[in-house]
Amino acid sequence: MTAGNPQPTPPVDLADAERYLLRDPREVVRVLQALIDNRALISAHLMPGGLPCPTALLELADGQVLIDGNRQEAINQRMAGADYLVCVSQLDRVRIQFRLQGLQRIDGEGPVAFRAPAPDAVMQLQRRELYRLELIPGPPVTLQVPPPAEGRPELSARALDLSGGGMAVAVRDEDQGRFAPGSQIDGCTVTLPDGGPPMPVRLQVAHVSRGQLLAGFPVRVGCRFVGLPRNAEQRILQYIFQVERQRNARERRAV
């Protein structure tokens, strides 16, 4: 039974949250099992309403999770009647967030618990991934996407924003078909205007939308980096820091 009254951790609601979602079942299981093994405290927010209560994952088996109940019976009743729970925790300074629904109360000789289907996606957020550098206007950061089939040209797209976790690019209408949401694209490269060589990256397409972006490029494609090497990540973060420092310096001179 979860004890104490720790300060609840509020869930985050990002417009581009899809880019940070893990959907590979093996990765989802890995994260959930790590929460169990580390006895990580979870702040569960009962929806609708958002009432927070502390809990913990107790077990993961056969596609089901067992979650701790509460000492207060009134809270247990609220949990049983909730449409879903938004669960927030942390592992190694990485924020973990996922949704549980279809909770079934389990009463026995021991404390109250709840069983629910394991989530099909888990959000992982590091602090540096919460910050995105807007790149328009400014020197171009470009993404090279390999041709989808032999005889098709390589695609070069300008980045709209960049973070340690992913990027968004602008593409033409006729190129939108290359970016199916949820798909992974191997063999891409990112070129920064820092004089260094292009960086090989693998992307997962998170979302596709439309808007007034660049002239002739009305489609915005948000992508998440998959398995980004640490040296590439460090180079991206150093570039973001460099651009921010230059922008801040210009703003101070303008005052």
Side-chain angles (χ1 to χ4, degrees):
M1 183 70 67
T2 303
N5 293 295
Q7 186 69 24
T9 304
V12 295
D13 184 13
L14 302 177
D16 61 344
E18 184 71 24
R19 76 162 63 174
Y20 304 112
L21 289 181
L22 299 177
R23 294 190 178 277
D24 186 323
R26 294 168 298 182
E27 288 294 298
V28 172
V29 167
R30 178 187 62 79
V31 172
L32 296 178
Q33 191 61 53
L35 291 173
I36 296 171
D37 294 342
N38 288 274
R39 299 179 181 178
L41 180 68
I42 292 175
S43 180
H45 300 260
L46 283 57
M47 300 297 182
L51 175 70
C53 66
T55 185
L57 286 182
L58 304 175
E59 183 181 293
L60 171 65
D62 300 323
Q64 300 277 312
V65 295
L66 189 67
I67 190 170
D68 200 4
N70 197 275
R71 288 178 173 174
Q72 300 182 42
E73 177 57 22
I75 298 295
N76 290 327
Q77 293 179 8
R78 292 281 296 272
M79 291 178 71
D83 290 347
Y84 60 93
L85 307 183
V86 177
C87 299
V88 185
S89 189
Q90 191 173 88
L91 281 173
D92 298 326
R93 300 182 181 179
V94 177
R95 184 190 187 96
I96 308 296
Q97 183 170 308
F98 57 92
R99 180 181 294 195
L100 293 180
Q101 53 191 22
L103 271 69
Q104 295 182 342
R105 178 169 175 156
I106 299 176
D107 289 296
E109 296 180 359
V112 175
F114 293 86
R115 192 173 300 280
D120 58 7
V122 171
M123 182 191 296
Q124 279 194 157
L125 275 175
Q126 300 187 47
R127 287 185 178 181
R128 61 179 175 269
E129 293 176 334
L130 291 169
Y131 178 76
R132 292 183 302 160
L133 175 69
E134 298 293 333
L135 297 172
I136 306 295
V141 172
T142 57
L143 171 70
Q144 299 295 130
V145 181
E150 188 175 352
R152 296 284 300 278
E154 183 180 61
L155 173 65
S156 179
R158 182 167 180 177
L160 300 169
D161 63 50
L162 180 67
S163 77
M167 64 193 305
V169 297
V171 301
R172 299 184 179 90
D173 281 319
E174 56 266 32
D175 295 317
Q176 180 176 342
R178 297 194 184 195
F179 301 93
S183 65
Q184 287 195 12
I185 307 176
D186 297 329
C188 301
T189 58
V190 172
T191 302
L192 301 177
D194 61 357
M199 296 178 294
V201 297
R202 179 195 301 175
L203 299 176
Q204 181 181 48
V205 180
H207 57 84
V208 178
S209 60
R210 298 181 63 85
Q212 295 298 322
L213 305 171
L214 296 174
F217 298 85
V219 180
R220 179 189 183 96
V221 179
C223 299
R224 175 177 176 268
F225 294 132
V226 178
L228 186 67
R230 174 165 291 276
N231 61 343
E233 180 185 57
Q234 288 300 318
R235 188 174 155 201
I236 289 172
L237 295 176
Q238 288 172 3
Y239 176 73
I240 291 174
F241 175 74
Q242 174 188 343
V243 173
E244 278 296 286
R245 185 173 55 186
Q246 292 172 347
R247 289 178 179 177
N248 290 337
R250 286 197 297 268
E251 290 175 1
R252 287 194 297 269
R253 289 197 297 269
V255 173

